């Protein structure tokens, strides 16, 4: 991961940690951390924020990031998403408010601390490899099963993490999320048994 992306991402995750907001890095950055590195134009973070977190978060980040208080408030009320744009680099951090459905709550509960940069040594919470695979399969399906990037991310995570994946968890939630057929196909492409 480039130093700039790591620096911007860690600035946001550190603000969440100071405010005791549960969060997890998800999306392409998370799949790159678990699988195969690729360029990304933004970072996605799931956060379990409330309206009470909004003023101190804006205060903590507004000197370095463009923030839209109204958009953030609306995202919190509707459990949607908002973005933070880093002034210096124009790098975007998309913050998704954690949904109430069981899978989304579990994804946040199963997050893992991972090294984001080694100079200086800094960690942040990242969604588990299994949850990244499941989320990306769900996005792939919703997107009409056309995104080669999403698909490559899934297969890359499966290949790299093959020996540590919780297969029962993957299959159970793939069925629940109605992406079991896609998981089977991705496992075949990754050279893994069902």
């Amino acid at each position: 991961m480039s130093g700039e992306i790591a620096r911007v991402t860690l600035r946001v995750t550190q603000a969440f940690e100071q405010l005791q907001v549960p969060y997890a890095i998800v999306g392409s950055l998370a799949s790159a951390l678990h699988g195969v590195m690729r360029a990304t134009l933004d970072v996605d973070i799931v956060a379990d924020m409330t309206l009470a977190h909004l003023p101190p978060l804006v205060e903590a980040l507004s000197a370095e990031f463009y923030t839209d208080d109204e958009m953030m408030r609306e995202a919190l009320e509707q459990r949607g998403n908002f973005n933070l744009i880093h002034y210096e680099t124009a790098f975007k951090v998309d913050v998704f408010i954690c949904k109430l459905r069981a899978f989304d709550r579990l994804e946040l509960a199963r997050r893992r601390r991972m090294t984001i940069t080694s100079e200086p040594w800094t960690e942040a919470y990242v969604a588990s490899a299994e949850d990244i695979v499941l989320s990306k399969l769900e996005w792939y399906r919703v997107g009409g099963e056309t995104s080669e990037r999403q698909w490559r991310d899934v297969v890359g995570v499966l290949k790299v993490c093959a020996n540590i994946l919780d297969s029962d968890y993957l299959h159970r939630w793939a069925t629940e999320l109605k992406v079991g057929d896609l998981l089977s196909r991705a496992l075949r492409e990754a050279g893994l048994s069902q």
Side-chain angles (χ1 to χ4, degrees):
M1 172 186 342
S2 85
E4 298 236 319
I5 293 172
R7 182 171 59 86
V8 172
T9 301
L10 289 168
R11 183 64 192 93
V12 175
T13 61
Q14 287 163 354
F16 282 140
E17 289 185 17
Q18 288 167 354
L19 296 171
Q20 298 181 337
V21 172
Y23 74 88
I25 297 169
V26 295
S28 299
L29 180 54
S31 65
L33 290 166
H34 284 294
V36 179
M37 192 59 72
R38 75 162 166 90
T40 183
L41 302 174
D42 59 12
V43 167
D44 297 332
I45 298 176
V46 170
D48 195 12
M49 284 181 64
T50 66
L51 285 170
H53 293 120
L54 186 54
L57 182 67
V58 170
E59 184 179 334
L61 296 176
S62 61
E64 297 172 69
F65 291 84
Y66 169 77
T67 60
D68 181 331
D69 294 21
E70 190 57 39
M71 178 177 61
M72 295 169 82
R73 181 174 301 283
E74 190 175 305
L76 283 160
E77 289 169 350
Q78 299 177 3
R79 294 205 166 268
N81 68 291
F82 62 85
N83 52 54
L84 304 165
I85 301 171
H86 190 245
Y87 287 125
E88 184 184 329
T89 62
F91 191 74
K92 186 172 65 153
V93 177
D94 290 318
V95 178
F96 294 83
I97 306 306
C98 188
K99 306 281 188 208
L100 298 176
R101 106 185 145 148
F103 173 72
D104 298 289
R105 306 306 294 178
L106 199 52
E107 177 183 46
L108 205 51
R110 297 179 76 247
R111 67 195 176 146
R112 309 261 198 295
R113 283 202 67 84
M114 292 184 73
T115 301
I116 305 300
T117 180
S118 57
E119 296 177 19
W121 198 274
T122 313
E123 295 181 339
Y125 286 105
V126 180
S128 72
E130 295 89 354
D131 293 319
I132 290 302
V133 166
L134 293 163
S135 293
K136 284 195 162 277
L137 288 175
E138 198 172 33
W139 277 106
Y140 182 74
R141 170 129 303 146
V142 168
E145 300 180 24
T146 59
S147 173
E148 284 304 310
R149 279 181 158 179
Q150 296 276 15
W151 189 255
R152 281 193 306 269
D153 287 348
V154 167
V155 173
V157 172
L158 290 172
K159 284 181 178 179
V160 171
C161 296
N163 294 330
I164 60 168
L165 290 171
D166 182 338
S167 182
D168 292 339
Y169 178 87
L170 263 178
H171 286 285
R172 181 173 68 253
W173 280 101
T175 300
E176 182 79 21
L177 298 171
K178 298 180 177 30
V179 293
D181 58 324
L182 293 177
L183 177 61
S184 294
R185 184 174 132 208
L187 288 166
R188 280 194 305 275
E189 278 194 37
L192 304 173
S193 62
Q194 303 292 310

